[in-house]
């Protein structure tokens, strides 16, 4: 009976309504915050991956200042060939 007495107080009822509204019904509710945290973590992981890829690409670009290195890169990575050549790609199954 003492517990019901507290729920008859208008301040307790107002506080409970406010807490329920803030947790579940507001635009920035608990579920929305959790969803945004998950999205933020995924974007941070993607950012790290792209930064690693960027540094790798930048180091490759720094190595391609000489025409010999540029030709080797084009032949190995991009499978470029001269007019009178044939390229055979050997793929190993894992």
């Amino acid at each position: 009976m003492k517990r019901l007495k507290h729920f008859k107080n208008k301040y307790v009822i107002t506080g409970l309504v406010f807490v329920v509204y803030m947790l579940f019904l507001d635009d920035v509710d608990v579920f929305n915050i959790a969803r945004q945290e998950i999205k933020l973590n995924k974007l941070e992981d993607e950012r790290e991956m792209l930064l690693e890829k960027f540094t790798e690409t930048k180091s490759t670009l720094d190595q391609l200042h000489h025409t010999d290195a540029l030709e080797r890169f084009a032949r190995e990575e991009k499978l470029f060939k001269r007019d009178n050549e044939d390229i055979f790609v050997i793929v190993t199954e894992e």
Side-chain angles (χ1 to χ4, degrees), residues 26-52:
D26 195 23
D27 290 338
V28 187
D29 60 353
V30 175
F31 305 111
N32 194 11
I33 291 172
R35 235 180 286 124
Q36 293 296 329
E37 275 296 317
I38 292 170
K39 194 178 198 180
L40 178 65
N41 290 336
K42 285 181 183 178
L43 288 174
E44 286 174 350
D45 291 341
E46 185 178 342
R47 181 178 182 265
E48 289 295 322
M49 182 186 66
L50 288 174
L51 282 175
E52 289 174 11

Side-chain angles (χ1 to χ4, degrees), residues 3 7 11 18-19 35 47 55 65 92:
R3 292 183 186 174
F7 285 113
Y11 298 111
F18 178 73
V19 168
R35 235 180 286 124
R47 181 178 182 265
T55 56
H65 286 295
T92 59

Side-chain angles (χ1 to χ4, degrees), residues 13-93:
I13 292 172
T14 305
L16 285 175
V17 168
F18 178 73
V19 168
V20 168
Y21 176 77
M22 291 303 290
L23 287 177
F24 300 108
L25 302 175
D26 195 23
D27 290 338
V28 187
D29 60 353
V30 175
F31 305 111
N32 194 11
I33 291 172
R35 235 180 286 124
Q36 293 296 329
E37 275 296 317
I38 292 170
K39 194 178 198 180
L40 178 65
N41 290 336
K42 285 181 183 178
L43 288 174
E44 286 174 350
D45 291 341
E46 185 178 342
R47 181 178 182 265
E48 289 295 322
M49 182 186 66
L50 288 174
L51 282 175
E52 289 174 11
K53 199 179 221 183
F54 174 73
T55 56
E56 180 182 318
T57 304
K58 188 170 176 98
S59 68
T60 304
L61 183 64
D62 289 339
Q63 294 172 358
L64 296 179
H65 286 295
H66 304 290
T67 57
D68 295 335
L70 183 62
E71 183 179 352
R72 183 179 51 80
F73 177 77
R75 287 173 170 271
E76 290 176 1
E77 299 294 324
K78 303 300 179 183
L79 301 177
F80 283 15
K81 66 181 186 92
R82 291 188 179 137
D83 291 334
N84 59 354
E85 290 181 333
D86 290 329
I87 295 180
F88 297 99
V89 178
I90 300 172
V91 179
T92 59
E93 293 183 20

